[in-house]
Structure formats: structure tokens, C-alpha cells
Amino acid sequence: MSESLAVIPARYASSRLPGKPLIELAGRPMIEHVWRRAHEAGLDRVLVATDDERIAEAVRAFGGEVSMTRGDHVNGTARLAEVAGQLGLADDTCVVNVQGDEPLLPPTMIERVRSRLLEDEGAAMATLAEPLEDHDALMRPGVVKVVCDARGRALYFSRAPIPWDRDRFDGGAAVSLAAGPWRRHVGLYAYRAGFLGRYAALSEAPMERLEQLEQLRALYHGYAISVADSSEHWAPGVDTPEDVVRIRAIMEAAR
């Protein structure tokens, strides 16, 4: 079995929450909570990729491994590509991108996306999805939808409501989606290290620019993305001050 590791990209700069990885939650910085959950997934190695020494110092303080990266990466995949190059990873190494602002991420989901990539040998990437049964969520651009082929590989990701039911969707009327084909994309990725090196050199896809979805670059250039059903319900991360209050309340209640 090939080696597997989790890489947690963590930036200090944030327009809404500067210093987000260092926000205190239940007595620990948020990045430590994410690191601990990644460790619980049972991968061979976990490290934090950051361009800020303040984050690096916090990670080293709780015993974590750090990879210092450039500050000009346009997305998390490009940052992972730099880490893969720094470490000289074998092409078949599985690299899981664990977002640094998801302190409630279930470790089983990390293992699930890793397993999916190892199972689908022809895929360059793997990700997760869960059933989408809320009509309002289907119509909301902030909820990314995914459509797959018969093998469970992604055909397309979109902020638009796909697939479109021609006969039932009439411009916004609420419709029950129970037991339908609609799936919400869960933004957790696993990559083969060899693909990460190639991704960094790929040109931006026209639909990537329109949708603001970096995974569309892989599809546009002919790389397969394998999609597994999520093992648990995805817990949203921290993007706003209100999210911080909500996550703190959940953590305090669980202590």
C-alpha cells in the first residue's frame, strides 16, 4: 500500500478573519483541533503547510510538523503541489488536503476519501459527496453540486442546480428532492502526488474561472476525479465571526 499523508494548508491572511488558524476554540488554537482530527484518521503523516511564521510557531508548540510554503499560491491545491515537491514524494503517494478551518471534520471522512483514491487506480483525485434533499440548498450558489457517471467519477461540479429537472423545476417553487440524484459536493480531496506536480503546470479552465471551482481544472484537462459517498454528515467550517461563536458553543457542550 502506498504512503498516505494529510496536509493542512493554513494562511494567516483572511479578509473576514485575520489569523483564523490561531483563533482559540475550547482552549486550543483552531489549527490544533484540525491537526488532531487528521491524526485520528490513521494516515502515515500529518503536517501543516503555511507561509506565516506565527502559525508555524503555534504548530511546533503542540508537536506538529510544519512545511513552510510561498505566499503567492492561488489555491490550496497549488500549495499542496509545492509541499509534494519539497518532500520528494513518490508519484503514488496519497496526499489528503484537510482544510485548516474545519475543526469539527470527522476523521472517518479523511479515511474515506483516502480509501476511495486507492480503490480507483485510474483517478488522479478523489473527493466526497452527500445526498442533497433541500430545494433551497440546491438553488443556493454557495452549495456546490456534483454529477457523476456510472463509475462514480465526476462529470461536472457547479454552483448551479444540476441536474436540472425540466418538468418539475419551474423557476423556484419548492420541490421535494428526497431519493433523487442530487448530491452536494463535500470539499475534501485526496490526490496522487504525481498529479499534484502536473496540476501546478495546467492552464486555468474557462469554467473554473466562471464557477470559481479549482477542481474543474482537472476535469477540463482530462483527469478523472473519483467521488465517494461521505461516511458522515459534513460539518461546516469557520468563515465568519458568527461561525466562531457557533463552533465554540458546540465544543463547550461536548466537553
Side-chain angles (χ1 to χ4, degrees):
M1 182 179 293
S2 61
E3 181 187 17
S4 60
L5 70 154
V7 178
I8 308 170
R11 295 173 60 249
Y12 191 91
S14 172
S15 58
R16 287 180 288 187
L17 285 174
K20 182 164 62 169
L22 303 182
I23 290 174
E24 183 272 327
L25 299 171
R28 304 179 188 275
M30 180 162 61
I31 191 65
E32 182 174 356
H33 289 285
V34 178
W35 180 85
R36 287 174 176 271
R37 287 182 175 261
H39 258 287
E40 291 173 14
L43 278 66
D44 298 307
R45 190 175 181 184
V46 178
L47 61 86
V48 174
T50 185
D51 57 3
D52 192 278
E53 189 58 38
R54 288 164 291 188
I55 295 174
E57 289 179 1
V59 173
R60 296 185 188 110
F62 61 72
E65 181 180 1
V66 177
S67 178
M68 298 301 296
T69 58
R70 302 195 316 270
D72 60 350
H73 291 301
V74 296
N75 56 46
T77 306
R79 193 176 301 276
L80 262 68
E82 182 184 355
V83 173
Q86 288 178 354
L87 299 178
L89 300 177
D91 284 352
D92 64 346
T93 301
C94 174
V95 182
V96 182
N97 183 352
V98 179
Q99 295 299 323
D101 58 2
E102 297 182 0
L104 299 180
L105 180 68
T108 54
M109 292 176 67
I110 299 173
E111 169 55 27
R112 178 70 172 134
V113 75
R114 183 196 76 92
S115 297
R116 181 62 172 219
L117 185 65
L118 297 181
E119 292 164 1
D120 191 341
E121 296 182 357
M125 299 170 51
T127 190
L128 303 178
E130 61 185 12
L132 184 57
E133 301 177 357
D134 184 298
H135 182 269
D136 291 339
L138 177 68
M139 299 297 170
R140 196 158 61 243
V143 176
V144 177
K145 280 69 67 172
V146 59
V147 174
C148 298
D149 65 14
R151 296 172 296 176
R153 291 181 175 177
L155 291 170
Y156 194 65
F157 297 85
S158 183
R159 298 184 183 280
I162 57 172
W164 182 262
D165 190 322
R166 186 194 64 177
D167 296 327
R168 289 199 299 162
F169 296 171
D170 58 359
V175 175
S176 173
L177 306 181
W182 294 276
R183 301 173 78 192
R184 171 188 187 137
H185 175 226
V186 176
L188 181 66
Y189 298 99
Y191 308 84
R192 299 191 194 281
F195 167 71
L196 281 172
R198 294 189 292 273
Y199 177 92
L202 297 176
S203 61
E204 183 183 42
M207 66 279 277
E208 173 192 1
R209 189 180 309 116
L210 289 171
E211 299 255 20
Q212 293 295 297
L213 297 173
E214 64 185 85
Q215 66 269 34
L216 292 176
R217 185 179 306 189
L219 293 183
Y220 179 75
H221 288 281
Y223 291 96
I225 302 177
S226 193
V227 183
D229 291 326
S230 178
S231 56
E232 295 188 49
H233 181 65
W234 177 61
V238 176
D239 289 317
T240 67
E242 291 75 21
D243 292 335
V244 174
V245 174
R246 176 176 54 83
I247 297 294
R248 278 179 177 155
I250 292 173
M251 289 186 168
E252 290 298 333
R255 295 177 78 174

